[in-house]
Amino acid sequence: MNGFEKRAALIRSKIMKTTMELLKTWEARRLRIADIAKAAGVSQVTIYNYFGSKEALLSESFKDFVDEAILEFEEEMRLRKTLKERVTYFIFKDKEAYSSLDPALVKELMVEDQVMYQYIQQQYDDRMVPLMAQMVAEGKASGEISQKVSVEAVLLMIQMYIKSSGEMLDSVAKHEDKEKFLDELFHIFFYGLCGRELEE
């Protein structure tokens, strides 16, 4: 990559990250290219030259957001941590990432946009599944996950959550205390309804 290409990549990245930052406090439909250009310190023409339209910018920004989240997941998995530490990290990062964004926007980009959905699914299959399978296998080996639970069962539960993400996001959006509700959903996913295995 030559100097011009590096500079172009940096500008493109800055515009996308600025867009995602603005979406934490703006509704997508109210956010204008002019607002993004001002916040990023570039011209509107520059944004149109790189992305062509606001819709394409939102899509590319969210894709970049997903790529970075997966990269962080991969880096976290390289560290020697207990399952509890990893789960705590994932809960924190998921809450931080998605609770700050408009649930309607996340639903639109992750569920209703078929191209985006297929992209995320491909990334999930190719990069996330092997790492999660490794995490579950290590958890079983260390005794942190019950031997009654198979790797396949855990991955199936994750798939079920992904497939129902649209309905879940709708529920979160309507809830009076969104953060508390997210806490409850994460708790049920990772720890179950009882929070611990019942004694037989």
Side-chain angles (χ1 to χ4, degrees):
M1 188 181 290
N2 60 38
F4 175 79
E5 290 171 333
K6 285 181 181 178
R7 183 171 177 275
L10 286 172
I11 293 172
R12 182 181 172 86
S13 177
K14 182 180 182 183
I15 292 169
M16 290 190 292
K17 283 175 175 47
T18 299
T19 300
M20 293 307 296
E21 278 300 311
L22 290 174
L23 286 171
K24 292 178 180 179
T25 54
W26 288 67
E27 289 183 24
R29 61 189 178 86
R30 295 184 181 275
L31 186 61
R32 303 172 304 162
I33 289 292
D35 302 315
I36 299 168
K38 182 179 179 181
V42 300
S43 69
Q44 294 183 55
V45 172
T46 298
I47 293 179
Y48 282 112
N49 284 341
Y50 280 112
F51 299 97
S53 68
K54 174 185 164 182
E55 291 71 27
L57 170 58
L58 291 178
S59 180
E60 288 299 311
S61 297
F62 194 74
K63 189 181 290 185
D64 181 67
F65 170 79
V66 168
D67 288 341
E68 286 208 352
I70 293 176
L71 185 61
E72 282 190 33
F73 183 89
E74 291 172 333
E75 290 173 351
E76 183 70 15
M77 283 297 297
R78 293 190 189 101
L79 303 176
R80 296 184 65 84
K81 291 188 175 183
T82 65
L83 179 69
K84 185 176 181 180
E85 288 172 329
R86 285 174 173 170
V87 167
T88 301
Y89 170 83
F90 297 144
I91 291 174
F92 173 77
K93 292 304 291 185
D94 277 352
K95 278 179 58 181
E96 181 182 69
Y98 295 111
S99 64
S100 61
L101 296 175
D102 179 8
L105 172 67
V106 177
K107 180 188 175 188
E108 179 183 342
L109 291 173
M110 286 186 68
V111 181
E112 296 174 358
D113 182 334
Q114 284 302 303
V115 174
M116 179 63 73
Y117 178 81
Q118 288 170 9
Y119 175 79
I120 294 172
Q121 188 65 46
Q122 190 68 50
Q123 295 300 307
Y124 171 79
D125 290 341
D126 293 346
R127 297 168 66 185
M128 298 285 283
V129 169
L131 289 173
M132 287 189 286
Q134 174 191 330
M135 182 177 73
V136 175
E138 290 175 0
K140 287 169 69 69
S142 66
E144 295 174 283
I145 295 178
S146 170
Q147 293 299 323
K148 296 177 182 178
V149 181
S150 68
V151 173
E152 291 79 12
V154 176
L155 295 182
L156 177 60
M157 285 295 296
I158 292 170
Q159 280 282 11
M160 289 168 63
Y161 263 62
I162 290 173
K163 287 180 180 177
S164 63
S165 61
E167 290 78 6
M168 288 172 61
L169 288 166
D170 276 343
S171 297
V172 171
K174 295 172 186 173
H175 206 274
E176 192 172 307
D177 189 340
K178 295 180 179 62
E179 187 154 337
K180 182 175 182 295
F181 195 47
L182 277 172
D183 273 334
E184 292 171 3
L185 291 175
F186 286 130
H187 179 89
I188 290 170
F189 175 75
F190 287 108
Y191 303 111
L193 294 173
C194 300
R196 60 183 176 80
E197 186 170 0
L198 294 174
E199 304 245 346
E200 293 185 356

